[in-house]
Amino acid sequence: MCRAFQPLAIPATAGIGLRSPHISEMLTRRPSAGWLEVHAENYMGDGAGVEALERLRQIYPLSVHGVGLSLGSAQGLDRNHLERLRKVCERFQPDLVSEHLAWSVADGAYLNDLLPLRYDEEALVIVARNISTVQETLKRRVLIENLSAYVAFADSSMNEAEFLAELVARTDCGLLLDVNNVQVSAHNLQYDAKTFIDALPAEAVGEIHLAGHATNQVGADTVLIDDHGSRVPPVVWTLYHHAISRLGPRPTLIEWDTDVPILDVLLGEAMWADMLSASIMFNRKQAARQAATAKPRPISTLLSFESDMRSGMPVLAAFAAAKAGQAMPAAMPPIEGGYHAAA
């Protein structure tokens, strides 16, 4: 069944991944959330969850995130799976559709993982061909997500950021920048996370993901695991700050897939993303205003508590205090208290 939905373009604000424990509460409470994202494979049939999503689609902008297309498969795409994805898009008319730069199918067998590619010309031809097939079938631009990595191919002729940029040039696809994946991969493979982000074509980035990760000790080495099972850690917030400073605001998703918490925790993390993004843009406007009046006054990206309060924009002060566990100044709104009470 194809539903006619009113246009609900996804704003450059934070949304949350819709998970089954929260569906009923989302329907009854209808909390303030910028938008919702669902995994395509969970909605390829019928049932109560699909009916609930049809109702939620009338309220919230929607993004569909695929995990099973296996864009890196040299044998080509599973046409049956692609057709099911097409029907999901036809049914729910999502505002964004995305998939991973990965492979997960071998000899017709689906592997329960997203596996990395070798980054070279041969792989580029394969992935570009598969992306073009997807976009022609869905009749829309698809966003491609960078992968979290734990090993690298010794014979890759380019890095992942260069590979993604070339895919954009060849297929006109978009990019889904998973900031947590960048941090995980950069730590594990020992490269600079900010340099990775700076190498991406900014105009192609249509969505950002934020999530938590686990830290494992393997002998003398520390390995980060992309488990989506905790709050966004400070190092990822810092990298998100860099991304927004370079790209400007983008639709940003809070991902949480294991040990899923109560709904208010997800909404709280989305609140922090909105606050940080708004603060960056506020500071940028302040700096531009000062430059225009020819009365330059140094302005820090991270404002002090006092300057934030004078400007009427206490966002970054609240953000910094909460993440550092500091007491909030009495004159500030009690954001952190309400946040922890909900969590």
Side-chain angles (χ1 to χ4, degrees):
M1 176 177 62
C2 178
R3 303 274 300 212
F5 295 105
Q6 295 182 350
L8 292 173
I10 289 181
T13 57
I16 62 172
L18 181 66
R19 301 297 177 256
S20 56
H22 303 142
I23 291 177
S24 177
E25 188 175 1
M26 289 294 299
L27 285 168
T28 55
R29 278 180 55 190
R30 297 191 178 187
S32 178
W35 50 284
L36 302 178
E37 184 164 280
V38 298
H39 289 157
E41 286 72 13
N42 292 336
Y43 295 89
M44 289 181 170
D46 290 302
V50 173
E51 293 174 2
L53 185 60
E54 287 184 331
R55 294 167 60 190
L56 288 169
R57 181 65 179 96
Q58 301 285 358
I59 306 167
Y60 300 100
L62 181 67
S63 172
V64 165
H65 188 48
V67 298
L69 271 180
S70 192
L71 293 175
S73 292
Q75 296 174 340
L77 300 173
D78 180 333
R79 293 293 181 147
N80 291 329
H81 188 92
L82 180 56
E83 175 60 15
R84 289 191 290 269
L85 176 61
R86 187 195 67 79
K87 289 180 178 178
V88 167
C89 293
E90 180 182 342
R91 183 170 196 167
F92 296 106
Q93 294 296 307
D95 303 285
L96 294 175
V97 177
S98 55
E99 248 292 353
H100 299 81
L101 180 62
W103 65 275
S104 56
V105 179
D107 295 327
Y110 274 84
L111 307 174
N112 189 26
D113 209 340
L114 297 167
L115 301 172
L117 307 170
R118 188 179 67 244
Y119 300 127
D120 60 12
E121 178 62 28
E122 182 181 3
L124 260 174
V125 171
I126 292 169
V127 178
R129 180 190 66 214
N130 288 340
I131 289 174
S132 295
T133 298
V134 174
Q135 295 187 141
E136 290 166 6
T137 301
L138 301 184
K139 295 180 172 53
R140 62 163 70 224
R141 193 185 204 194
V142 175
L143 308 182
I144 307 304
E145 178 182 348
N146 57 289
L147 204 61
S148 55
Y150 309 94
V151 295
F153 287 91
D155 53 352
S156 287
S157 60
M158 63 188 79
N159 61 42
E160 186 184 19
E162 293 168 336
F163 193 93
L164 286 165
E166 186 61 26
L167 282 176
V168 171
R170 295 189 185 194
T171 69
D172 195 33
C173 66
L175 298 178
L176 193 170
L177 171 58
D178 191 312
V179 174
N180 182 62
N181 286 0
V182 175
Q183 178 59 34
V184 167
S185 298
H187 173 89
N188 292 339
L189 304 183
Q190 294 297 293
Y191 62 78
D192 185 74
K194 292 180 180 178
T195 299
F196 179 100
I197 292 174
D198 293 344
L200 298 176
E203 70 283 354
V205 178
E207 182 182 341
I208 291 176
H209 277 185
L210 296 174
H213 55 254
T215 302
N216 286 13
Q217 202 66 30
V218 181
D221 297 325
T222 300
V223 178
L224 302 186
I225 306 296
D226 178 35
D227 67 347
H228 297 177
S230 58
R231 295 181 188 274
V232 179
V235 67
V236 175
W237 283 123
T238 299
L239 196 55
Y240 180 62
H241 183 286
H242 177 80
I244 295 300
S245 296
R246 176 176 182 265
L247 304 172
R250 293 290 192 275
T252 298
L253 182 81
I254 302 298
E255 281 192 300
W256 204 316
D257 296 308
T258 61
D259 297 324
V260 178
I262 62 172
L263 178 60
D264 283 339
V265 172
L266 298 186
L267 296 172
E269 293 289 278
M271 175 193 71
W272 288 122
D274 281 336
M275 290 169 67
L276 182 54
S277 179
S279 297
I280 293 167
M281 301 314 295
F282 176 82
N283 284 349
R284 184 175 295 179
K285 290 179 181 178
Q286 287 286 83
R289 188 178 299 115
Q290 290 169 13
T293 57
K295 294 179 181 179
R297 178 173 64 87
I299 180 168
S300 170
T301 303
L302 293 176
L303 300 178
S304 68
F305 291 158
E306 292 78 16
S307 63
D308 252 344
M309 287 190 289
R310 284 197 303 270
S311 70
M313 189 71 176
V315 174
L316 273 180
F319 183 89
K323 289 298 175 184
Q326 300 172 5
M328 297 288 289
M332 286 190 167
I335 298 172
E336 173 67 0
Y339 177 59
H340 281 304

